[in-house]
Amino acid sequence: ELPYRKVRLCSGDIGFSARHCYDMDVWLPGSGEFREISSCSNTGDFQAKRMNLRYRPAPKEEAKDADAGKKGGKKKKAKKPKPQFCHTINGSGLAVGRTL
């Protein structure tokens, strides 16, 4: 089992599109130091806006009219929610040379 650590990078060390970035470092006894073997970034909706990647949330339950308790009360149709941009995550695979 290799010792590892998760490192959250500061805003000066991440790209302009990322909101958060984490590196996975593993102790490499041969070099006597921790080395990054993987990285993962949360880019929020930045990339989704560039490629117009959206989803439509599930509609909420039907709203009842104020007179719904009375005889013949009608239910209002639920409004179709507007599409929203997805949030994306970027993750690098493991660096094979460092992992081995």
Side-chain angles (χ1 to χ4, degrees), residues 73-93:
K74 295 182 180 180
K75 292 183 180 179
K76 291 183 182 179
K77 277 189 175 179
K79 284 188 176 181
K80 204 174 189 182
K82 292 183 179 181
Q84 296 181 358
F85 287 106
C86 299
H87 286 211
T88 57
I89 296 174
N90 283 339
S92 66

Side-chain angles (χ1 to χ4, degrees), residues 44-77:
D45 60 2
F46 179 83
Q47 290 180 327
K49 286 180 178 180
R50 293 176 63 103
M51 64 177 144
N52 202 24
L53 176 65
R54 299 178 294 166
Y55 76 100
R56 188 179 306 273
K60 296 184 179 180
E61 292 184 27
E62 294 181 13
K64 294 184 178 180
D65 195 22
D67 299 330
K70 297 180 183 178
K71 249 186 180 179
K74 295 182 180 180
K75 292 183 180 179
K76 291 183 182 179
K77 277 189 175 179

Side-chain angles (χ1 to χ4, degrees), residues 29 48 98:
R98 295 181 188 170

